[in-house]
Amino acid sequence: MSKKISIGDIPEEEAVWPGNPACQGCGGSIVGRLVFKALGRNSARVEVASCAPGFMNIRVPSFYAPAFEGAAAFLTGLSRGYKLLGREDVVVAGLIGDGGTVDIGFQGLSAAAERNENVFWFTYDNEAYMNTGGQRSSSTPLLARSATTPISEKSRGKSEAKKNLPFILALHRVPYVSTASVAYPEDLTAKIQYGKGLKGFKYMHIHAPCPTGWGFDPKDAIKVSRLSVQSGLWPLYEIEDGRRFKLTYKPRELAPVSEALKIQGRFRHLTEQETDTIQRITTENWDRLLALDGGEIC
Ligand SMILES: Cc1ncc(C[n+]2csc(CCOP(=O)(O)OP(=O)(O)O)c2C)c(N)n1
């Protein structure tokens, strides 16, 4: 498991150039900056169709996988290529959106995890297909409004729950799975520094608030992230060898989910009863995670 570090331990060297054409307050671009700061310059990046090609000017070798669904195959080939060159020290990293992970790229991702390929997959989860106009993905949360789950007489936003991809991948028995948040960069960095030292398949799922798609003030990107973690909507944890589970942030008491929800336009339609439903599901999930903490998931 990772060891706690403090903010001052985050490497100073940047792996991205300043300036990019992302929307103001883009959580995804903060993810990209933090991930490659932690990985360091001895890494290579793979990306697919998404906001990511726009939001980062990166200083490491960078590859665009032209087939959206082929990211994991591309990462596999690159990793094996580096091995043939005797360069297994290079961390081969994918920076992929939630659509490219939980939906379109899932088959190849699952296959690469099952083969335990030596790659590090990072999902920046802005909880919809943002690059193409904010359509729902299977990572969009329950009751959230999106371009394809509107609020109308017949629709109250997304009627299904968010897919739990970190646990699905952990059950592939891969060496390392974790979640992270841009509001907790020291936790994110410690997990990457630990994960990159492991051989085999590593996965990190990172909350990436999107002001444009979620409808909040760009200055509140970190606030939305922090409130999501503090309320249990976005728990921070790691799972090693597909079994051992550890919560890396455990508040004495959870903040109410309403604090995080009420500053996002995509949840503005919620009735008190709907907010209570989200609160109940979140508390139940948190209690399940607390019971697993320090033990095994199965
Ligand atoms: C197979 C395939 N389906 C759909 C598209 C169209 N497309 C391009 S980007 C994109 C959205 C990607 O969403 P996500 O992976 O969540 O990243 P984000 O845009 O949110 O950064 C879609 C649907 C495509 N290029 N290829």
Side-chain angles (χ1 to χ4, degrees):
M1 298 289 185
S2 65
K3 298 249 176 329
K4 271 197 185 333
I5 63 164
S6 57
I7 282 282
D9 297 323
I10 295 178
E12 275 187 21
E13 195 188 13
E14 296 287 350
V16 295
W17 299 108
N20 65 53
C23 304
Q24 257 192 343
C26 169
S29 70
I30 306 173
V31 168
R33 180 180 172 203
L34 290 174
V35 164
F36 283 93
K37 222 173 178 349
L39 285 177
R41 298 276 295 275
N42 200 23
S43 57
R45 172 188 66 164
V46 172
E47 63 189 15
V48 292
S50 64
C51 299
F55 67 49
M56 280 170 79
N57 294 319
I58 196 152
R59 298 161 78 177
V60 304
S62 196
F63 302 85
Y64 184 79
F68 202 168
E69 53 282 68
F74 202 104
L75 281 160
T76 298
L78 196 59
S79 159
R80 292 185 184 196
Y82 274 117
K83 186 177 176 187
L84 280 175
L85 295 173
R87 292 298 311 274
E88 277 185 279
D89 54 308
V90 177
V91 185
V92 174
L95 185 68
I96 316 287
D98 50 292
T101 301
V102 298
D103 298 330
I104 300 174
F106 182 70
Q107 178 182 335
L109 168 61
S110 170
E114 189 266 336
R115 294 191 307 269
N116 199 23
E117 297 291 346
N118 190 28
V119 302
F120 207 150
W121 183 295
F122 295 90
T123 299
Y124 64 96
D125 190 355
N126 54 25
E127 303 188 319
Y129 291 82
M130 292 309 181
N131 185 52
T132 44
Q135 298 86 355
R136 62 89 90 182
S137 77
S138 52
S139 212
T140 304
L142 183 69
L143 295 172
R145 185 198 67 210
S146 75
T148 45
T149 57
I151 308 309
S152 69
E153 263 175 43
K154 293 189 179 151
S155 166
R156 298 294 302 161
K158 192 184 173 204
S159 49
E160 300 82 18
K162 186 181 174 80
K163 192 188 271 185
N164 186 347
L165 209 73
F167 269 68
I168 292 170
L169 277 171
L171 291 173
H172 286 66
R173 300 284 182 232
V174 293
Y176 191 66
V177 168
S178 61
T179 61
S181 161
V182 291
Y184 294 83
E186 65 283 29
D187 175 80
L188 179 150
T189 303
K191 286 169 174 166
I192 294 176
Q193 287 176 337
Y194 178 71
K196 76 178 182 180
L198 301 173
K199 209 163 171 226
F201 194 91
K202 285 87 59 181
Y203 179 79
M204 179 178 264
H205 201 103
I206 312 163
H207 205 206
C210 170
T212 312
W214 298 7
F216 62 82
D217 191 326
K219 74 172 171 40
D220 287 337
I222 300 297
K223 186 175 171 185
V224 171
S225 311
R226 192 182 301 117
L227 288 172
S228 302
V229 172
Q230 291 176 346
S231 60
L233 283 164
W234 194 270
L236 299 181
Y237 59 78
E238 46 195 353
I239 307 173
E240 201 156 348
D241 294 326
R243 290 185 175 81
R244 291 192 303 285
F245 179 87
K246 190 176 125 197
L247 280 169
T248 58
Y249 176 84
K250 256 193 298 185
R252 227 170 273 154
E253 214 180 315
L254 290 183
V257 294
S258 55
E259 297 293 307
L261 301 178
K262 72 183 181 198
I263 51 175
Q264 301 177 48
R266 65 179 176 157
F267 291 116
R268 195 159 293 141
H269 59 283
L270 292 186
T271 61
E272 208 172 305
Q273 203 183 4
E274 287 167 336
T275 304
D276 287 348
T277 302
I278 297 177
Q279 182 64 67
R280 181 180 49 75
I281 294 170
T282 307
T283 309
E284 282 171 8
N285 185 46
W286 180 253
D287 288 343
R288 264 195 298 275
L289 296 182
L290 271 183
L292 291 176
D293 189 33
E296 300 198 344
I297 60 169
C298 67

